[in-house]
Amino acid sequence: SQKIEQNSEALNIQEGKTATLTCNYTNYSPAYLQWYRQDPGRGPVFLLLIRENEKEKRKERLKVTFDTTLKQSLFHITASQPADSATYLCGRGQGGKLIFGQGTELSVKP
Amino acid sequence: DVKVTQSSRYLVKRTGEKVFLECVQDMDHENMFWYRQDPGLGLRLIYFSYDVKMKEKGDIPEGYSVSREKKERFSLILESASTNQTSMYLCASSETGDTNYGYTFGSGTRLTVV
C-alpha cells in the first residue's frame, strides 16, 4: 500500500529561524501533496498543495518542495514565530482521497 | 465563511450503543470524508463519498457505516460502539479533482465509549 511518513519527533526551534518539516512517501509519486496545520482540539486547516510536476510552491512565509527522486516533500516556515507552533500534516492524493502522515509537532520558542 | 459543521464536540456513549455522528457542509462540495485521529496513528480514512447515495470504504471501515442522502450531509454510524472506537472523529469536504483549495475540515467530535 502507499504510505506517507512524517518525523514523529517534535521539532523545537528558536523564533526567527527557519523550520523545516519532512514528508516521505513510498512507491509511486502521488499526483499531489497537501500540507495542513492543526491546532490542539481543532480540525486541520489547509495550507498548500503542490503537484507532481511542480518543484516548489510559496505562500507568504511558507515554502513547499516536491522531489520525486528522493520521494520527499519539504515544508519550510521562514522567520518562524511562536504563533506558528502547531502540528503540521502532510497528505498524499491517491484515487481522489487524501492519505495523511502522522504529523509533526512544531514548537517555536520566543 | 464556508463551513463544515459537526453536530457534537464531545460525546460519551456506552458500549453496544448505536452512535450517529452528523456532518453538514455549506459549500456545495461533491466529496465528503470521515477520518478518525488517534495519537501516534495520525488521521485514518474510514469512509468517503463522491456523490449523493454513494460511498466508498477507506482504510479502516470495520465497525462503521455511512449515509449520504443529501449532498450537504454525511453521517457516520457506529453500529455497536466499542471502547476501541474512542477517538477524535473528523469530517471533511472538498471539490472534485485536485483543486488548489484542499479539504475543509470540521472541528471534530471527541467520542468516548465507556
Side-chain angles (χ1 to χ4, degrees):
Chain A
S1 63
Q2 313 306 322
K3 288 189 178 177
I4 191 153
E5 293 176 353
Q6 295 180 255
N7 190 349
S8 57
E9 284 186 25
L11 179 63
N12 297 301
I13 65 167
Q14 205 67 32
E15 183 176 8
K17 302 291 186 186
T18 295
T20 299
L21 287 71
T22 304
C23 176
N24 295 298
Y25 60 88
T26 61
N27 299 325
Y28 63 83
S29 285
Y32 57 89
L33 290 164
Q34 297 186 13
W35 284 88
Y36 290 76
R37 169 188 172 134
Q38 186 175 23
D39 292 290
R42 312 294 297 180
V45 174
F46 173 71
L47 297 174
L48 280 168
L49 177 151
I50 185 165
R51 292 188 170 80
E52 185 183 11
N53 61 354
E54 296 173 321
K55 291 276 191 263
E56 180 180 299
K57 187 168 271 189
R58 291 175 185 261
K59 178 183 175 183
E60 297 171 355
R61 294 185 295 112
L62 308 180
K63 184 178 87 171
V64 174
T65 63
F66 195 159
D67 189 325
T68 55
T69 302
L70 293 178
K71 295 190 176 182
Q72 183 179 82
S73 175
L74 297 179
F75 177 83
H76 306 273
I77 306 175
T78 58
S80 60
Q81 304 165 1
D84 295 325
S85 298
T87 296
Y88 291 85
L89 301 167
C90 171
R92 66 177 292 164
Q94 183 173 311
K97 58 188 181 183
L98 210 53
I99 304 301
F100 285 94
Q102 64 269 50
T104 299
E105 184 179 350
L106 172 67
S107 179
V108 182
K109 303 295 184 189
Chain B
D1 195 17
V2 293
K3 270 190 183 172
V4 174
T5 303
Q6 294 184 230
S7 52
S8 305
R9 287 300 307 273
Y10 300 94
L11 214 49
V12 180
K13 295 292 181 181
R14 295 196 179 278
T15 301
E17 275 193 77
K18 190 168 186 176
V19 181
F20 293 85
L21 302 183
E22 305 288 346
C23 175
V24 177
Q25 52 100 358
D26 65 0
M27 295 163 284
D28 201 35
H29 283 169
E30 290 82 9
N31 307 326
M32 296 189 75
F33 308 84
W34 274 106
Y35 290 86
R36 65 177 281 177
Q37 187 172 32
D38 301 287
L41 296 177
L43 280 156
R44 292 180 291 166
L45 183 62
I46 306 171
Y47 267 97
F48 59 104
S49 169
Y50 292 142
D51 202 351
V52 176
K53 293 195 185 294
M54 71 138 299
K55 59 187 178 185
E56 296 279 348
K57 291 181 181 179
D59 296 320
I60 51 163
E62 296 79 18
Y64 303 94
S65 63
V66 289
S67 171
R68 194 167 181 198
E69 295 296 319
K70 294 186 178 181
K71 189 176 185 180
E72 67 270 18
R73 186 180 295 270
F74 192 35
S75 302
L76 180 70
I77 304 153
L78 286 67
E79 297 291 343
S80 177
S82 64
T83 54
N84 63 11
Q85 292 178 309
T86 291
S87 186
M88 169 71 100
Y89 288 87
L90 289 157
C91 175
S93 71
S94 75
E95 296 179 352
T96 296
D98 58 342
T99 72
N100 283 319
Y101 301 107
Y103 286 20
T104 302
F105 280 86
S107 293
T109 295
R110 187 164 293 282
L111 173 68
T112 302
V113 182
V114 297

